Amino acid sequence: MSTLSALFLKRIGYTTSEQDPHEKITFDQLPQILELASTTIPFENLRVLTHRTRDITREHLVEDILIHNEGGICYELNALFYLFLVDNGFDAAFTRAIIYDNEAKEYIAWGRTHVTILLKHEEQTYLVDAGVGGNLPLKPVPLTGETVTSSNGEFRVTTVDHELGNYVYEIKLKHKDTDWHINYIFDSNMLLSDLAECTEVQQIVVEHPDSHFNKGPLITKLTSTGNVTLTGSSFTKWEDGVVTKEKIDDETFSKLLQDHFGLKQ
């Protein structure tokens, strides 16, 4: 087992076999690993806001997320999980997606700024996403239209004939959505060549005037009963379908950041 894999499993609290600690992770173990990661590693943009971003490399991902116990945005979280998959012998690749704005009923105009993973297993291709905020499927989702159900809701990937891509990732979150809606579109034929393209995505997120992640703090992660989300002005908690939201000040922000996400400003 690689150092990255060992540190990743330690970070999420996953215990490997005592009989063979060097064994590689199997496909059937991925749902448990994805669920543990979702409640352990937050989706957060603090490095963007504090101007601490740097090139997306294996070394930097290990340092920031696995050693310093920070979180990240899609191009960091999915890059890390991609490396974890490859280290464990999976046939994985990156692709870039375009987020759908459900209020405006259109895809965002500032580009393919979501990074996700395509995984081939037993002649089937799956979408694997560990970096899409509260919209995590928590399981590999086949590119067949089949619905996958997890503790976070229902998820599917369906084919489309669209100039922006050939598949859409659709979600119906537990306790939140009554109907399916599109989260993003991607082209399964447009694969990233290396981690350098994740750095390109990061640059767009950091610099683009329409980027949602360079305006103010956004920290979220799933919990055993729902999820928690912290912004600069509010703290929202979902527990078994019941939502509570409170306004906060700077002092409360720092305390909640530490207490719920294990992070410091």
Side-chain angles (χ1 to χ4, degrees):
M1 180 175 292
S2 70
T3 299
L4 182 148
S5 290
L7 288 172
F8 181 84
L9 294 177
K10 180 181 178 181
R11 170 85 201 269
I12 68 174
Y14 183 89
T15 303
T16 56
S17 169
E18 294 182 2
Q19 295 179 337
D20 186 5
H22 302 294
E23 66 181 346
K24 291 183 177 180
I25 297 300
T26 67
F27 183 81
D28 291 338
Q29 292 171 294
L30 291 181
Q32 182 184 2
I33 290 171
L34 286 164
E35 188 146 357
L36 284 170
S38 74
T39 59
T40 308
I41 305 175
F43 180 97
E44 52 97 349
N45 64 337
L46 297 181
R47 277 191 297 280
V48 172
L49 298 178
T50 55
H51 308 291
R52 293 185 293 113
T53 57
R54 48 186 181 168
D55 288 351
I56 306 302
T57 67
R58 184 187 187 95
E59 178 185 10
H60 291 164
L61 291 169
V62 169
E63 288 180 359
D64 292 339
I65 301 175
L66 302 183
I67 295 177
H68 297 150
N69 291 332
E70 298 182 27
I73 304 180
C74 66
Y75 52 78
E76 296 163 308
L77 300 181
N78 276 332
L80 178 65
F81 202 73
Y82 162 80
L83 293 173
F84 171 79
L85 290 171
V86 171
D87 283 1
N88 282 275
F90 289 100
D91 183 2
F94 283 131
T95 189
R96 288 167 64 170
I98 304 177
I99 299 294
Y100 187 73
D101 184 335
N102 278 273
E103 291 187 6
K105 303 298 181 185
E106 62 184 13
Y107 292 100
I108 63 171
W110 44 289
R112 298 181 183 273
T113 55
H114 182 68
V115 175
T116 191
I117 303 166
L118 296 179
L119 171 66
K120 290 185 179 180
H121 176 70
E122 294 183 351
E123 300 183 356
Q124 176 69 271
T125 302
Y126 297 81
L127 177 76
V128 177
D129 202 322
V132 66
N135 301 327
L136 297 166
L138 303 180
K139 293 180 178 179
V141 184
L143 270 60
T144 59
E146 174 188 348
T147 297
V148 168
T149 302
S150 73
S151 60
N152 199 33
E154 297 177 72
F155 307 87
R156 67 189 183 192
V157 176
T158 56
T159 58
V160 293
D161 182 10
H162 196 286
E163 62 180 354
L164 297 178
N166 56 355
Y167 288 98
V168 292
Y169 170 56
E170 298 178 294
I171 66 176
K172 188 160 64 171
L173 297 179
K174 187 177 181 180
H175 299 309
K176 295 183 179 181
D177 297 327
T178 56
D179 297 311
W180 288 96
H181 63 89
I182 297 172
N183 193 181
Y184 56 74
I185 189 170
F186 64 93
D187 190 328
S188 62
N189 299 309
M190 294 178 61
L191 303 180
L192 279 66
S193 58
D194 54 37
L195 289 177
E197 293 196 48
C198 291
T199 302
E200 293 178 17
V201 173
Q202 176 179 251
Q203 185 175 357
I204 298 172
V205 168
V206 170
E207 297 178 356
H208 200 283
D210 293 331
S211 171
H212 303 299
F213 301 116
N214 59 20
K215 306 293 189 300
L218 173 63
I219 307 97
T220 187
K221 71 173 183 178
L222 299 191
T223 67
S224 60
T225 57
N227 63 41
V228 286
T229 300
L230 179 64
T231 70
S233 59
S234 67
F235 178 63
T236 305
K237 181 189 297 185
W238 282 86
E239 290 185 300
D240 296 320
V242 178
V243 60
T244 57
K245 185 173 183 177
E246 60 178 296
K247 293 183 179 180
I248 62 171
D249 56 23
D250 291 344
E251 182 178 349
T252 305
F253 175 87
S254 297
K255 187 176 187 306
L256 291 169
L257 186 66
Q258 175 67 47
D259 292 349
H260 289 272
F261 304 97
L263 300 173
K264 296 181 180 179
Q265 288 178 286

